[in-house]
Amino acid sequence: MIRALLWDVDGTLLNFKAAEKAAIRTLFAEYGFGDCTDAMLATYAEINDAYWKKLERGEMEKPQILVRRFEDFFSVIGVDPRLSAAFNKKYQLALGDTIVFCDDADQIVAELKGRIPQYGASNGTLAAQTKKLERSGLDQLLDGAFISDQIGFEKPDARFFIPVCERLEADVPGIRKEEILIVGDSLTSDIQGGVNVGIRTCWYHPEVAAGAAVDETAERPRIDYEIRDLHEIYDILDLTTS
Ligand SMILES: [Mg+2]
């Protein structure tokens, strides 16, 4: 039986891609860079993804990648890369300005509140994540939130989960690791992290429902559950008897 839920935030509870696009477009207008086209946003997404993968592999530090992604992006689109550090600072705050939930994440978390302890588990920066959790109301719905900036380690590092497990043991006396479920959209951070620390894993991958291709040959960490819509969490959590 699952007795506690760890929700990844970006891409799982919140539609991070929608917020990301809105924040970049707003800042392009503010800086007078002109229109940020869909093609430009796609270029940015590609550069950004590659840097986050480097972070997960421990090849780079977060402060470096936050600025470097914009330096690379600006170089490609013909904007002065020296503006990257200042742009990134504004971007971190602007990110919190657009709240878009995945599926009906807010309703689902609200519905589960009081029935099972729920926590956020995020690799985002403290400034951006705190603002997002507050603006979305998730800070009131969740029983707590763990942010890598505060812990000092990123998912999938098992050390990210040390304070998480300590808190869960205090909140849910006698809880065992296999009674904790992490729900996330990233195989490399959420699912691999769950595997590293020995808790159960649930991979949320809505893009498959939308028709995107999944590389079936890629090596994957152990996935205990797969869902394409967050409502499927009700089937995994057998709450009827509790
Ligand atoms: Mg995510």
Side-chain angles (χ1 to χ4, degrees):
M1 193 174 84
I2 304 299
R3 297 174 70 198
L5 277 180
L6 294 178
W7 291 106
D8 169 51
V9 178
D10 291 326
T12 301
L13 292 178
L14 297 180
N15 189 333
F16 185 61
K17 283 176 184 157
E20 206 173 43
K21 287 178 183 173
I24 292 176
R25 286 202 157 115
T26 302
L27 289 178
F28 262 57
E30 196 182 312
Y31 273 86
F33 292 165
D35 253 4
C36 189
T37 64
D38 287 343
M40 286 179 185
L41 288 171
T43 300
Y44 169 75
E46 208 172 295
I47 293 169
N48 188 45
D49 283 354
Y51 274 119
W52 283 90
K53 289 276 181 306
K54 282 182 195 279
L55 181 74
E56 285 166 8
R57 291 194 300 263
E59 294 168 12
M60 283 182 85
E61 300 288 330
K62 196 196 276 170
Q64 269 183 303
I65 71 155
L66 295 179
V67 177
R68 290 273 291 274
R69 60 184 177 177
F70 286 119
E71 285 176 357
D72 289 10
F73 176 47
F74 287 173
S75 300
V76 171
I77 62 166
V79 165
D80 185 351
R82 287 172 299 184
L83 296 170
S84 300
F87 187 93
N88 178 64
K89 220 173 244 177
K90 289 194 172 197
Y91 172 73
Q92 293 301 327
L93 297 172
L95 258 188
D97 287 338
T98 309
I99 299 297
V100 183
F101 292 102
C102 292
D103 305 331
D104 300 313
D106 52 337
Q107 288 172 34
I108 294 169
V109 174
E111 158 82 15
L112 292 174
K113 187 173 173 62
R115 301 172 77 185
I116 185 166
Q118 306 174 86
Y119 307 83
S122 172
N123 271 1
T125 64
L126 187 59
Q129 297 312 90
T130 304
K131 194 172 170 189
K132 251 187 279 185
L133 289 171
E134 284 174 9
R135 284 189 67 122
S136 64
L138 285 170
D139 64 329
Q140 299 298 313
L141 295 173
L142 296 168
D143 295 281
F146 301 95
I147 298 168
S148 61
D149 252 9
Q150 258 177 330
I151 296 172
F153 298 100
E154 314 272 337
K155 296 176 286 183
D157 194 317
R159 288 170 291 185
F160 172 91
F161 295 91
I162 293 172
V164 178
C165 290
E166 280 172 4
R167 170 75 187 274
L168 288 180
E169 279 156 17
D171 287 0
V172 188
I175 194 167
R176 290 173 297 141
K177 281 196 174 152
E178 59 268 31
E179 294 173 325
I180 303 169
L181 180 68
I182 184 165
V183 185
D185 65 307
S186 167
L187 289 174
T188 48
S189 64
D190 306 314
I191 306 305
Q192 187 62 55
V195 168
N196 288 349
V197 77
I199 63 175
R200 283 186 195 261
T201 61
C202 176
W203 185 35
Y204 172 55
H205 53 117
E207 70 274 15
V208 174
V214 163
D215 183 0
E216 294 291 344
T217 61
E219 205 173 304
R220 290 181 181 175
R222 191 203 71 240
I223 303 164
D224 294 312
Y225 306 96
E226 285 189 41
I227 58 174
R228 293 181 182 187
D229 186 297
L230 293 178
H231 290 93
E232 292 172 61
I233 197 75
Y234 293 112
D235 301 331
I236 297 170
L237 304 173
D238 183 18
L239 295 168
T240 46
T241 52
S242 59

